[in-house]
């Protein structure tokens, strides 16, 4: 399980860095990472979930694909994923 956590963290961090300028479509990896973050948070792995949430928020804020004003549906999807992450973080923190 430890190797899986490290792989997910490295992939999320790398996609966060790539989504800013180098490869804009890496933001979709961060969308999947948001769901993984919610699963980790609900399961009680809060430190891993907080780091994944930080990476995902940074990727969503600085991504050129999300900051397009002509596509409000993308912003609603990002808002939904962020709410899902932080609600699961709250539930996981309360359970622990």
């Amino acid at each position: 399980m430890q190797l899986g956590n490290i792989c997910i963290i490295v992939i999320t961090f790398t996609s966060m860095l790539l989504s800013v300028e180098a490869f804009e479509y890496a933001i979709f990896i961060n969308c999947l990472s948001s769901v993984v973050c919610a699963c980790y948070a609900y399961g009680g792995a809060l430190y891993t979930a907080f780091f994944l949430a930080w990476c995902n928020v940074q990727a969503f804020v600085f991504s050129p694909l999300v900051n397009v004003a002509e596509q409000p549906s993308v912003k609603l999807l990002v808002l939904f994923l962020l709410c899902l992450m932080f609600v699961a973080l709250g539930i996981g923190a309360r359970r622990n």
Side-chain angles (χ1 to χ4, degrees):
M1 189 65 183
Q2 188 74 7
L3 184 61
N5 290 345
I6 292 171
C7 289
I8 290 172
I9 288 170
V10 168
I11 289 170
T12 301
F13 188 75
T14 305
S15 68
M16 176 194 70
L17 295 176
L18 288 175
S19 68
V20 176
E21 292 292 330
F23 185 64
E24 297 171 350
Y25 294 104
I27 194 72
F28 295 118
I29 295 172
N30 287 100
C31 290
L32 293 175
S33 175
S34 297
V35 176
V36 172
C37 174
C39 292
Y40 275 137
Y42 188 75
L46 294 179
Y47 293 121
T48 304
F50 275 124
F51 183 74
L52 291 178
W54 176 79
C55 288
N56 292 329
V57 167
Q58 295 299 318
F60 291 145
V61 167
F62 294 113
S63 174
L65 287 179
V66 176
N67 293 328
V68 176
E70 295 88 25
Q71 296 179 349
S73 62
V74 174
K75 290 184 181 183
L76 288 175
L77 174 68
V78 167
L79 184 64
F80 172 74
L81 289 173
L82 290 174
C83 289
L84 178 73
M85 278 190 316
F86 288 110
V87 165
L89 278 167
I91 292 171
R94 184 178 174 113
R95 287 174 56 189
N96 285 341

